[in-house]
Amino acid sequence: MGFFENVLPAQTGLRPITQERLKESLERLELTYEQDPAGELTVFLPLGSLNLLLARQLGLDVLSLRGSWRGTLPLDFLGTAQELTNYWNQNRPFLKAFPYRWEEGDQVSLIMPVDMSVPYAGGATDEQLDEHIGTALQLAQEYFSLLTETFSEEK
């Protein structure tokens, strides 16, 4: 019967996401990274950094790519920062950005984090993992550049 003759084979190469696979992906992408004693991986970019966090949530492996711009802003810039991040989020399908109020002692400032989380129900191929990490890094660099250009003259 013709209907079942065109069934595609199951995708091969799907493997669970592990810290070792994340490191292998960073090496394939020729990125320099650091690993802290807890195993967290961090890639340092010219204008910020991106952390690769692996968690198991709701029965899924979830890779969270979370980063932050190297700069900070005075709290007075909250309105402008919100407008900029709203514009960014409306024009990008992922790597969401938001201003975050940071308090340290009696100092209050804004930090500008980014986040992209990808659930992997059945694992991922090396190519998928490389694409997700590479895309997050590229978008983080674009966003950090936008922040630098926007706020370099206003500080």
Side-chain angles (χ1 to χ4, degrees):
M1 316 283 131
F3 183 75
F4 290 104
E5 291 172 6
N6 293 329
V7 174
L8 297 174
Q11 187 172 7
T12 58
L14 293 180
R15 297 183 308 165
I17 309 301
T18 63
Q19 287 296 109
E20 190 59 38
R21 288 198 62 213
L22 293 177
K23 288 191 282 188
E24 290 169 2
S25 178
L26 292 173
E27 289 166 11
R28 279 191 303 274
L29 294 168
E30 299 179 359
L31 296 166
T32 303
Y33 64 91
E34 290 184 9
Q35 185 171 14
D36 70 11
E40 184 175 305
L41 301 169
T42 303
V43 176
F44 294 97
L45 305 168
L47 299 172
S49 61
L50 196 70
N51 298 321
L52 286 72
L53 308 164
L54 186 58
R56 187 132 182 97
Q57 297 176 359
L58 303 172
L60 298 173
D61 288 330
V62 177
L63 174 60
S64 291
L65 302 145
R66 296 181 182 167
S68 188
W69 180 49
R70 193 161 283 150
T72 60
L73 298 170
L75 194 55
D76 298 346
F77 285 62
L78 179 59
T80 305
Q82 286 176 324
E83 285 180 27
L84 183 71
T85 56
N86 286 343
Y87 172 80
W88 174 269
N89 291 332
Q90 290 170 356
N91 291 288
R92 298 292 191 282
F94 44 78
L95 196 69
K96 296 304 175 191
F98 51 95
Y100 181 80
R101 180 186 170 120
W102 180 261
E103 295 183 36
E104 190 169 338
D106 57 349
Q107 289 283 92
V108 179
S109 58
L110 294 174
I111 59 173
M112 304 297 287
V114 293
D115 178 72
M116 181 174 103
S117 295
V118 182
Y120 294 100
T125 65
D126 288 346
E127 292 80 14
Q128 288 171 320
L129 200 52
D130 293 355
E131 183 176 10
H132 292 156
I133 293 171
T135 299
L137 285 164
Q138 178 183 346
L139 290 170
Q141 289 183 74
E142 288 178 25
Y143 178 67
F144 298 156
S145 291
L146 177 64
L147 289 171
T148 301
E149 291 168 16
T150 302
F151 293 109
S152 64
E153 295 178 12
E154 294 190 36
K155 280 180 134 178

